[in-house]
Structure formats: C-alpha cells, structure tokens
Amino acid sequence: DCFIDTSTSIRSSWKIKIMSAGACASPGCDKVVSQRLACPKCIQLGLPPTYFCSQACFKANYSSHKSIHSLAKQIMAAGGGGHRKTPPADGVSCEMTAPQSQKLSLPDWGNHYDFTGDLRPTLYSPTRTIPAHIRKPDYANHPAGVSDCERKDRATNNAIRVYTEDEIEGETNLRHACKMGREVLDLAGKALRPGVTTDEIDRVVHEASIERGCYPSPLNYYNFPKSVCTSVNEVICHGIPDFREVQDGDIVNIDVTTYNAGGYHGDLNETFCVGKVDADGQKLVKTAFECLQGALALVRPGTLYRDLGNTIHKIASKQKCSVVRTYCGHGIGSLFHTAPNVPHYHKNKAKGIMKVGHVFTVEPMVNLGGPGDTTWGDNWTAVTTDGKRSAQFEHTVLVTETGCEILTARDDEPVMEWKPELNYR
C-alpha cells in the first residue's frame, strides 16, 4: 500500500509496491539506504520513488534502471493516442461480446500460477469510462495511477489530520461522500446472487457512483482496472471483478469507495453469504462483523490506535479464526489513503492517539485458517496461503467528543447490529 511502516511491516489496505527507504534498488546490492537518494527521473515521471544507497551505486546501475523510464514513457504515449475500438490482446481482458469460452478462460498469468485454493480467475471486461463532468482524483488520468497528492503527503506529513465541522458537513463534504458510498454498496449488495458475475457488480457500482456525481475511487488507483473490489472465498482483498459467475455457497466481499464533487472519499465494505453457505462460512462472516463491531466500540478520544488490534485478536481467536497482519485500516478524506495506519492484529506498534476530528477506516480481515497471505499473478488479488476462506467488514469513522460516529453506517443504525438477513443472498 501507499503506507508501509518499515518498523512493523504494516501496510494499509491498498498494497502499492513502493520501494522502502531501507534497501538499495540496485540488483545485488545489500547495503542499507541511510539517505533518501531517489532517482529524480522516476519522480519526474510520477513513478513511485526508487532509492539507492549512494550516488556511485546509482550511476553504476543507471543503464539498466532507465529501462523503467522508457516503459513509463511508452505507456504515457499510448495513453494519449485516443480510444481504440478494438483494444490489443492483453492476456487479462476481453470485450463483453467475446464468446463465453473466451470470457471464462484463465488470464495468461494464471496458466503458470500455483493457486492456493479452488477459486480461479477469468478474463474481465475493458475498463469502464468516466463522464467529463465527474470530478476526478489526481490519479484518475495518470498512466501509472500514481496519486501525486498522496506521494507528497507521505514525504512531508507525519501528523494525523483533524477535520473541521465545515469539512465534514455540507452538501458535498466528507459526510456526503460516505453516504454516497453506503448507497452504492447497498445497491451492489442487492444485485448479488448466484449466477451473477462480479463484472456485473462492477457495472452496478460504476453506474451508481456516476449517478450520484461520484468517481469510483478504486478505478486506476495505481492502475487497478475496475471500480470496485470483489473478493470471493479465499480472496482476502483487492479482488478484480471478472466474468466468473458467483456460485451457490460463495462468500463475497464488496469493497466500495466513492469520491465526490467536494473532493472527499468515503470507504466501506461488507461480506455477503450467497445461497447455502456452510456453517464454517457463516461463522467466519459473523466473526468478521463482530471484530469490526468490537473495535469500533473502543473508538473515542484518547484511545491508542494500536489497542484496536488486541480486541480484534481476542474476538477472532475465540472463534478459532486468525487476523491478517499485512493489511490495515487507514486515514481517509481528501486523500484515499493517509495517516494513521490502523493495524488489526494484537501487539502491534502503531503510532498515534485518537483525537476529535480524526477520520479513518477500520477493516479487519479474518481468516478461517492461518493469517498468511500471498498475491496472485495479477499483482492485486490477495489470497490466503492455505486456501481457506477470508471475510471482512469496513467502516469509515469519525472520532467525536463522546466516542465515534460511523459515517458509512446504514440509515437508522448508528451502532453496528448483526442482522443476518442483510448479508444473506
């Protein structure tokens, strides 16, 4: 993700491959980077910074490193060439009109990948377009999906932002972005059923976001190709919607973020039981809900961010489930991801104390098996290493004088309540 805590190996919920300032980027060099000597050309092109241990090491390896710059320029040039009616074969997507056999085929990378569980990806549809009148975040049209605002924030800001009442309230402010996210997720959840494709869920989210004057935040964020994340069964997070039909017995997480005309993001997700889910699957989904419910009960001024993980761990362990350590909650608002990091596991070393006006997400990922994760060959889809199922719930919350307000809550439900009928399809 855009947040990597090198002291604790915590990454926030979106895993973006950014070189840590602890290791030299030169192949074979094992020296520790003591100064932040970044390649200036990478920064100029808007690429994630690449660090070297010394000027001499940078010069010695520049002839091979500069190939990254050439590739980036090619991508930028291609992006300016206008829309192609027939996109070239990329090995991962195909047209909506393609034969069903093609749609359901494995992406190229899948032919040589050792999957951990039973789920298999298919091809997905071409990226959907955004009307000109919709306000877009800074990464929307970047060829590499880089958020320059987030990059600058990482480099210069160590404080957790305190949002004012004016920033939270108002016709298109932060509360509005969260409300729009809730409406979009509710529509996506209603569309979920056995036989529907996750690509169809992506269409629902995309169109519902635009109808509300919002940009679907995941779209092109570091080149994520879709408008929503759909994570099925052993997928922990960042699943790419595709042409696979949801099966009776699947559990499906739908993760929605909307970016409104005021320039704010609202982020939430829920896991749904589709059809006849077995007892273990139902237990897992309810446990994930209870983990978030228990964590939000602690949110108030003065709470240490690191303390949420202890409660989440206890709730999950009681049901013989584990908590994913790799991904964490994050600050949100005018930036998709910012400080603080909010880990979900116990004995973490997260920094920070909650204060009135802090806005962040809590989104524990809970596994039936062990906490380990790995990433598919698409460089996005995070799955359990043992192939067992994973579930998650997420809210964007505001710290208030008296505790916590769930900005992405359902109408008339200020406190989380487990209502199975709302998450069974």
Side-chain angles (χ1 to χ4, degrees), residues 60-71:
N61 289 277
Y62 186 72
S63 60
S64 60
H65 172 71
K66 68 180 182 181
S67 62
I68 297 173
H69 307 152
S70 299
L71 179 60

Side-chain angles (χ1 to χ4, degrees), residues 164-184:
T164 66
E165 184 176 352
D166 287 343
E167 291 170 322
I168 296 166
E169 308 298 342
E171 186 176 350
T172 56
N173 286 356
L174 185 50
R175 185 185 301 280
H176 172 268
C178 292
K179 179 177 174 58
M180 294 302 98
R182 163 49 65 185
E183 290 184 6
V184 172

